Amino acid sequence: SAAGSTASSGSSGSSGAERSGSPRSSVAEGDPAAPSGADQCAEMRRVADERCTVAARARAAAEDAADELRSAKREYDELAARESEAHREGDPRAVRDAKESARAEFRRAHEAATSPAEIEAAASAWLHEIDRINRAARAAVTVAADVRRRGAELVTRMETLTLAADAARISAETSQAACQAAREALAACEEAAS
């Protein structure tokens, strides 16, 4: 019938319009909308930049941790040297030897004296020297004890710093490996896109 023919014709026209107006499922080759080679590697470039920035920070942190550990070791060596010196100064045998030397000097001065004033001066010098030796010995004992305490504290601190330095070094190495891998992936992408 005429109505059926019209409907059929309308349906056919509508179907053709839909086919002609429907979007293409893919971008044709050479289409300006297609991503360029640089755009295809943009995400890889971003990842490489981020990972290498992290690696640089981790490397700096590892260097700081290593510097702090080296500084603590130098301080410990200085304390050890001071403790050895204090032990020498406070050693009872060294104190006895110093006192004996002072006594011998007094005897020489006494024998060479030609007046009571010179004898008194020699005795006074001897007593002052004995007092100096005693004070130095007591100070050496105090210094040795203080240095020993500080050294023990520093040993504990160095143990913590050693662990921190090792952790920072491992983190830096891992971050650097990730940076290198990302750079290699980016280079491969850019080469393939060129």
Side-chain angles (χ1 to χ4, degrees):
S1 64
S5 175
T6 302
S8 174
S9 175
S11 174
S12 175
S14 174
S15 176
E18 288 176 0
R19 285 195 299 273
S20 62
S22 61
R24 283 175 290 180
S25 59
S26 62
V27 179
E29 184 177 354
D31 192 313
S36 66
D39 290 338
Q40 291 173 5
C41 302
E43 177 62 16
M44 287 187 174
R45 186 174 298 104
R46 183 190 65 78
V47 170
D49 288 345
E50 287 183 355
R51 290 183 179 177
C52 291
T53 297
V54 170
R57 291 173 179 169
R59 185 166 55 251
E63 291 172 356
D64 289 344
D67 286 343
E68 189 174 4
L69 178 58
R70 282 191 291 269
S71 177
K73 287 181 177 179
R74 284 194 298 270
E75 183 180 355
Y76 180 81
D77 290 341
E78 292 172 0
L79 287 175
R82 288 182 59 192
E83 183 178 6
S84 296
E85 182 180 357
H87 279 308
R88 285 194 300 272
E89 293 178 352
D91 180 40
R93 289 172 298 183
V95 172
R96 284 195 301 269
D97 290 344
K99 288 182 176 180
E100 186 56 37
S101 296
R103 180 188 294 273
E105 180 62 27
F106 164 69
R107 287 175 178 170
R108 284 191 294 271
H110 184 276
E111 291 173 357
T114 58
S115 67
E118 289 181 351
I119 293 175
E120 183 177 350
S124 177
W126 174 42
L127 293 175
H128 277 90
E129 180 62 10
I130 294 298
D131 181 61
R132 186 197 65 77
I133 293 170
N134 287 334
R135 283 187 287 107
R138 288 194 296 269
V141 171
T142 301
V143 168
D146 180 63
V147 168
R148 188 163 48 250
R149 176 186 57 78
R150 291 172 57 191
E153 293 174 353
L154 194 55
V155 166
T156 301
R157 180 166 173 258
M158 283 194 301
E159 290 174 353
T160 301
L161 290 176
T162 298
L163 293 176
D166 286 344
R169 176 183 53 78
I170 293 171
S171 176
E173 291 173 352
T174 301
S175 298
Q176 184 58 38
C179 167
Q180 184 63 31
R183 282 176 173 171
E184 291 174 357
L186 174 60
C189 176
E190 291 177 339
E191 182 178 356
S194 61

